[in-house]
Amino acid sequence: MWFERHVSLGGKPYTLDLDQARAVLDSHKNTLVTARAGSGKTRVIVAKVAYLVASGQAYLSEIAAFMFNRTAAAEVNERIGMVEIDGVPLKNWGGKEREIRIASTFHKFALDLVKAAGDRPEIISELEHDSIIRRALTKVLTEQKRRLSRDKQEETLRLASSFIARAGQQYSGDHGLSELFQAVQEYCTEHSGDPDYADKILIHETSLAVYQEYLLALNYPKIDFNLLMSRAARVLRDGAKASCLNAARFQHKMQQISCYKYLLVDEYQDFSYLFFDLIRSIRQNCPAAHLFAVGDDWQAINRFAGSDVDYFLNFAEYFPEDVVDIPLMTNYRSDCRIVENANRYMLKNYNPNADKAVPFSRKRGKIKRQNPVKTKFDSQDLLEDGLGDGRYQNILADIVRSVVKDAINARGLKPKDFQEAARLLKTTYKIVKKHHKEQILLLHRHNFTSFANVSLENLYLALRRIMVEEGVMSEMDFDSRVRCMTMHKSKGLESDVVILLEMDRSQVRSEHPHATIFEIFGDTRAAETADQHRLLYVALTRAKHKLYILSSDKKPVA
């Protein structure tokens, strides 16, 4: 095809499959690309840019690509810089283009815009953000004449922080705070007198008061990312009234935006009202601009941070003009059994009518479900005269004691307290040892395990020490080949071998005690269950060749 003959990336022909080519060549005004895990969405975004420029439909300066993190933006810009068309670098195509970095985060775009409008916002750090919320909570509790235990206060702090993050996403703009007040008031009025809602009402009222104090503490130019996005959308809607210290610079920026012909959005399943409002405001300045959104509703796992998968599921309602949905279903990452297993899980638990992924690999791959409880283990062998299992307990105890802040509690922790955790550690060790020359990813639903005092990090450190002490891997090899994190943090990653730890229903299907507390943000049991299924799909699809599912359940979750 034309692409393969004329376009190259890093000196190699730029190949596309038929579905990818259809997405790249599509000319609808509003295009949703449903890209399952491993289907090459970044490849399609870069190819779309190359095609638009090579076909004369747009210059690079007339394309804006929005990514959800700086790493993804840097990767897209780097690939665009490596693309050549008939031997000519894409950045120089037509002889007019300078090197333009078209991909940025939404936040970077917003920051550049408000600076061009003459503002000098100071984005608060994460540490400062947390500190302001903590001070605000202390003030609110004092005014309410409430005294909480340390644990209860920390729990309330987490809830207030979540409230603020989500309120800033869903109730932004000039009327956002008044609408939020009304929503909370209606919720509290509706459930007043119901003893089952007494705690929830108090949490809503407290969180709202903390949010109000938080906003008061952000004296401009102090600002957070949500307020920055809202401010940028307002500038776009009402540019003429912007306080502009440099009129020429602002006029140039608005002229650049008005020339946009294509808006590309990555990770569209993580869209929220703030992002929708910004895109809508951009389009007010360039009404003819095409929208090309790429994402996967099966990987929508950030509702807790304010994302709303409804923008994906009902794309045609939000962008109804000349709309199309193009599926990318070929998984180029994982072997057959891994892809088919993930499909079965989602079709059974999430949406039986959804399009399923198709494996490109002809290799079968390996899935092994393993019960750590059945691992041979001598829990009494602390002197290591039998199976040598005392080392697992001793190492866990040593590591945990080294991180426990309370010295008295640390002294009270004995190796025998870690028998069951040590059994999981031994099971994991045996798998890692078997594949020690491959890339390995350990995933868990939480940062903690089901064992007292054993965090996920503690388990990882214990595994590292055993691997090194047994001479299986050096410290350098272990650090470069073995990664460990929560399922949430694994999104976008892949590995030769993936080990899913503690896949018991009690762990992966457990409902968080606060999962349905903020109904005003759409929290329901159904939404929480859907989140869990999508998160598990993400975990299942990180594996390229081998997937280990460790569970003590008779019938594993997946």
Side-chain angles (χ1 to χ4, degrees):
M1 60 180 296
W2 181 88
F3 234 86
E4 204 168 332
R5 293 196 304 270
H6 297 275
V7 183
S8 62
L9 176 66
K12 298 179 180 180
Y14 203 125
T15 58
L16 299 171
D17 66 29
L18 292 179
D19 289 334
Q20 291 171 339
R22 182 188 169 202
V24 169
L25 300 177
D26 178 74
S27 60
H28 287 78
K29 185 169 184 179
N30 293 296
T31 303
L32 176 66
V33 179
T34 301
R36 291 284 183 256
S39 61
K41 64 182 181 64
T42 303
R43 187 173 191 79
V44 167
I45 290 172
V46 174
K48 184 73 174 180
V49 173
Y51 170 71
L52 292 173
V53 175
S55 63
Q57 296 183 55
Y59 290 113
L60 283 175
S61 58
E62 296 170 330
I63 305 171
F66 296 97
M67 322 302 285
F68 270 80
N69 60 67
R70 286 176 291 180
T71 301
E75 180 183 0
V76 168
N77 285 323
E78 182 181 3
R79 289 197 194 184
I80 290 173
M82 297 170 62
V83 170
E84 293 185 349
I85 303 172
D86 293 329
V88 178
L90 179 63
K91 60 185 179 182
N92 302 128
W93 189 253
K96 296 182 179 180
E97 292 291 346
R98 295 175 294 119
E99 184 170 357
I100 299 176
R101 308 186 86 67
I102 69 166
S104 73
T105 63
F106 281 101
H107 295 138
K108 178 65 164 60
F109 174 88
L111 182 61
D112 290 345
L113 176 63
V114 297
K115 282 185 175 180
D119 288 348
R120 292 294 180 268
E122 296 178 13
I123 310 298
I124 61 174
S125 67
E126 185 175 346
L127 183 63
E128 189 174 3
H129 170 271
D130 294 344
S131 179
I132 292 173
I133 296 176
R134 186 176 291 275
R135 290 197 301 271
L137 175 61
T138 300
K139 180 179 179 180
V140 169
L141 291 176
T142 300
E143 292 174 350
Q144 293 178 344
K145 297 181 179 180
R146 294 170 61 199
R147 298 186 64 181
L148 304 179
S149 66
R150 173 185 287 185
D151 289 346
K152 189 64 176 179
Q153 184 159 333
E154 289 300 314
E155 177 186 353
T156 306
L157 179 66
R158 287 192 294 271
L159 286 168
S161 297
S162 175
F163 183 96
I164 289 171
R166 299 173 72 178
Q169 285 278 352
Q170 298 185 35
Y171 290 90
S172 63
D174 299 334
H175 306 293
L177 189 57
S178 61
E179 291 174 356
L180 177 63
F181 266 98
Q182 183 177 349
V184 172
Q185 184 178 27
E186 290 176 355
Y187 173 85
C188 294
T189 301
E190 179 184 356
H191 299 291
S192 63
D194 187 339
D196 292 337
Y197 277 84
D199 288 341
K200 289 186 177 182
I201 289 174
L202 182 58
I203 289 170
H204 277 75
E205 292 174 341
T206 300
S207 297
L208 179 60
V210 172
Y211 184 38
Q212 192 173 16
E213 291 293 335
Y214 171 81
L215 292 176
L216 289 173
L218 289 180
N219 293 320
Y220 199 79
K222 295 285 187 180
I223 197 171
D224 66 11
F225 283 118
N226 287 341
L227 293 171
L228 173 67
M229 293 279 289
S230 178
R231 198 177 189 91
R234 188 167 63 249
V235 167
L236 286 166
R237 287 193 298 268
D238 195 15
K241 295 182 180 179
S243 174
C244 189
L245 299 179
N246 188 337
R249 180 185 177 190
F250 179 64
Q251 185 177 8
H252 174 75
K253 185 67 175 179
M254 293 301 290
Q255 179 64 31
Q256 181 187 41
I257 292 172
S258 68
C259 291
Y260 283 154
K261 293 182 178 180
Y262 285 86
L263 307 175
L264 281 55
V265 179
D266 188 24
E267 302 287 4
Y268 180 72
Q269 76 280 347
D270 291 331
F271 224 53
S272 71
Y273 175 77
L274 272 182
F275 301 125
F276 172 72
D277 192 35
L278 188 65
I279 291 294
R280 182 174 56 181
S281 299
I282 292 173
R283 268 188 153 174
Q284 288 181 5
N285 293 271
C286 49
H290 292 240
L291 174 64
F292 186 80
V294 184
D296 182 9
D297 60 309
W298 283 13
Q299 298 184 74
I301 60 173
N302 290 318
R303 184 175 61 88
F304 70 95
S307 298
D308 190 348
V309 73
D310 187 67
Y311 288 100
F312 190 104
L313 298 176
N314 297 298
F315 181 79
E317 294 183 14
Y318 293 101
F319 303 104
E321 184 182 356
D322 190 27
V323 62
V324 68
D325 184 351
I326 299 175
L328 298 184
M329 295 293 120
T330 302
N331 184 313
Y332 292 95
R333 173 188 299 150
S334 307
D335 291 339
C336 293
R337 291 185 63 194
I338 295 169
V339 175
E340 292 164 358
N341 180 64
N343 281 337
R344 280 193 300 271
Y345 179 83
M346 292 302 279
L347 294 175
K348 176 183 177 182
N349 296 289
Y350 184 69
N351 183 357
N353 301 315
D355 292 328
K356 61 183 181 180
V358 179
F360 177 79
S361 173
R362 295 180 179 273
K363 297 179 180 178
R364 288 292 295 162
K366 177 180 181 179
I367 298 180
K368 185 171 183 180
R369 295 168 176 82
Q370 199 164 327
N371 186 347
V373 176
K374 295 183 178 180
T375 298
K376 289 184 178 180
F377 191 86
D378 186 352
S379 60
Q380 304 302 316
D381 186 25
L382 294 177
L383 297 177
E384 299 189 13
D385 56 356
L387 295 174
D389 291 334
R391 57 186 161 165
Y392 300 102
Q393 295 168 252
N394 287 321
I395 286 177
L396 271 173
D398 186 39
I399 287 176
V400 172
R401 282 196 295 257
S402 69
V403 298
V404 172
K405 296 180 180 179
D406 190 327
I408 297 177
N409 287 339
R411 286 197 298 269
L413 294 174
K414 306 297 182 183
K416 65 180 182 180
D417 297 325
F418 299 94
Q419 291 176 4
E420 294 308 312
R423 193 188 299 271
L424 174 62
L425 176 60
K426 180 179 180 180
T427 305
T428 307
Y429 164 76
K430 291 174 68 176
I431 297 172
V432 174
K433 181 180 180 181
K434 183 176 181 180
H435 302 290
H436 69 278
K437 292 187 177 181
E438 301 175 78
Q439 292 295 317
I440 300 170
L441 181 60
L442 308 176
L443 298 180
H444 196 286
R445 175 68 178 84
H446 308 287
N447 277 312
F448 53 86
T449 71
S450 63
F451 309 108
N453 297 306
V454 181
S455 67
L456 183 59
E457 183 180 11
N458 291 342
L459 191 70
Y460 176 73
L461 292 174
L463 176 65
R464 183 179 189 268
R465 184 181 297 185
I466 289 177
M467 295 296 293
V468 172
E469 289 183 358
E470 292 297 311
V472 179
M473 302 174 75
S474 66
E475 291 183 353
M476 184 179 298
D477 286 341
F478 185 90
D479 293 342
S480 64
R481 294 177 192 165
V482 183
R483 294 172 291 174
C484 182
M485 63 192 70
T486 63
M487 294 177 183
H488 261 108
K489 292 184 178 180
S490 72
K491 191 169 178 297
L493 303 179
E494 61 182 33
S495 187
D496 297 326
V497 181
V498 170
I499 305 172
L500 303 184
L501 303 169
E502 292 203 287
M503 286 286 286
D504 303 339
R505 277 177 173 76
S506 59
Q507 286 287 312
V508 299
R509 292 280 183 85
S510 60
E511 182 179 290
H512 193 280
H514 303 138
T516 60
I517 203 164
F518 291 130
E519 294 178 28
I520 63 169
F521 299 134
D523 287 355
T524 63
R525 295 189 187 280
E528 169 69 6
T529 299
D531 285 347
Q532 292 174 354
H533 292 318
R534 291 190 293 255
L535 180 60
L536 194 50
Y537 173 78
V538 168
L540 292 170
T541 53
R542 299 310 95 193
K544 296 167 68 174
H545 307 301
K546 302 176 184 71
L547 175 64
Y548 288 86
I549 301 174
L550 306 188
S551 172
S552 59
D553 292 342
K554 290 183 179 180
K555 187 176 181 180
V557 173

